[in-house]
Amino acid sequence: MRNVVVTGLGFITSIGNDKATVSRSLRELTHGIAVYDRFEEAGERIHLTGKVKDFDVSAIDPEDWTYPERYALKREQIRAMAPHVLYAHCALVQAVEDAGLSPDDISNPDTGLFASSAGSARLLSHHMNRLKKLGLRRASPMGVVSSVTGTLTFNLVALHKILGASGGFVSACASSNHALGYAWDTIALGRQERIIVIGAEDGDLETILPFGAMRALSPDAEPPGSRPFDKSRNGFVGTGGATALVLESEECAAARGAPVYGRFSGWGQASDGYNVAISHPEGDGLARATELALKATGTAASEVDYINAHATSTPIGDTSELKAIRKVFGTGGPAISSTKALTGHGLSLASAMEAGFTLLGMKEGFTPGSAHITEMDPEGADLNIIRETLDKGPQVALSNSSGFGGANVVTVFKSA
C-alpha cells in the first residue's frame, strides 16, 4: 500500500475565501455567521446562516451571478452550474495552484476527482416547476445537469478535463469524508496517482430550511447561534461554500517537489443501524469507526493529540459523539474542538472543510479552539475540549463525521 499525502487546499467558506483568511479566522476564532435575509423574508423562526462573502448567486440565471473576477467563466461553462458548483470551481482553482499543478497534471489519466454535494434543491424545484407549467419546449436543456445530485461531478469533470477516475458520494453529512476515504483507497492501491476531493453546498434557504422541520436548526435571532458542546446549545446553523483537497501518492508528490500539508494515513467507517436521522445515543457506530481507523493506520489511541469533532451543536448529536470519544480515549485524552462553531454546518461540505482546517493547522502550527462555549455540557466536562486556539499544531489528528442513517467516517492525518 502506498502512502498518501495532501499537497493542495482551496477554500470558499463563511470564514474566508482563501487559505490566509481561513487560517486567521481559525486562529482568532472569528466566525462567519450572520442573519440571512431570505430566512427573514420567509417569516420562519430560523434566522442565521454561515454566509459566504464576495459572491452573489441569488439569481436563477447563472449569467446574472457576481463573483471574484479571477475565476471568470465563459457562458457555455457556467450555464449548467448550481451555486455550489461555482464555489467548488473556485476552491479547485486555489487547490491546484497551491499544489503547484499544471493543466497537464490535472487533465491526464493519472488524476481523478471525487466530489460530494446534495445537489441544488432550489434549481431542481425551479426547473421542475417551469417544466410542469410551460412544457418541455420552454424547459431548460440544462435543467437536469445543473440541479441533480451529481451536478458537482458532471461540471467539474467536464470543465477541468478530468481523464482519471471520477464519481460522487452521497451520505449526507458524512459524504465528503467518504469521498476522502475512497480517494485514499484509490491512490494507496495504485489505481491513480492523484485525486482531487471536493465537498460543496449551495447553503441557501432551500438547502437549509428543511432541517428546521426536524427541529435541528438553532432558532437564535442573533449570531453566533452555533455552540457545539455548550450546555444551552439549541441546534445547528447551516452554511454553504466549498473546499478542495489535492491528494497524491507520496512518490508522486516527492518526484515533483510538491509542498505537503500532512500524510493522510487512512480511515475507518461503521454504521449505527439505529435510526434514520438520530445518532446512536451511546455513540456506538462512531466509536467503532474510530477504532477501525486507528487499527487501519497502526495508530495507538494515546498517539492522537487532536480530534476535529463532527459536533454540529445539536443536543443529541454532540452528546452521542462525546460518549463515542470517551469509549475510545477515556477521560482527558486528545484536544477536541468543533470548528462548526465558526463556520456553521456545511452538510456534504463539512468533512472536506474540516479536514482542510485540520491540515492547515498541522502545517502552520496551530490547533483551532471550540468557540462560543459559555457553560460546558457536563457530558464533556471530563474530556479535553479546548476553548482557545493552541499555538501548536497536531501531530496526529482525527476528523469525525456522522450522517443520516448512522453513517460514521473517521479520517486520520499525521504530520509530514
Side-chain angles (χ1 to χ4, degrees), residues 44 47 65 79 84 112 169 189 213 265 275 311 376 379 392:
E44 296 292 348
H47 307 277
W65 294 346
R79 65 194 293 257
H84 71 276
F169 293 80
L189 290 169
S265 295
N275 185 278
M376 180 68 70
E379 188 65 46
K392 179 182 180 182

Side-chain angles (χ1 to χ4, degrees), residues 263-275:
R263 179 177 290 172
F264 180 10
S265 295
W267 66 301
Q269 63 173 326
S271 300
D272 287 344
Y274 173 73
N275 185 278

Side-chain angles (χ1 to χ4, degrees), residues 331-400:
T331 58
I336 302 164
S337 72
S338 174
T339 48
K340 289 183 179 72
L342 306 178
T343 61
H345 183 12
L347 309 174
S348 300
L349 155 67
S351 304
M353 181 164 62
E354 289 151 20
F357 294 166
T358 300
L359 286 156
L360 192 58
M362 188 173 279
K363 175 76 170 179
E364 296 189 356
F366 68 91
T367 303
S370 208
H372 310 144
I373 299 175
T374 301
E375 182 179 359
M376 180 68 70
D377 183 342
E379 188 65 46
D382 61 346
L383 297 174
N384 186 18
I385 299 171
I386 56 173
R387 303 194 196 192
E388 301 292 338
T389 296
L390 306 179
D391 292 326
K392 179 182 180 182
Q395 296 298 301
V396 180
L398 307 184
S399 183
N400 291 352

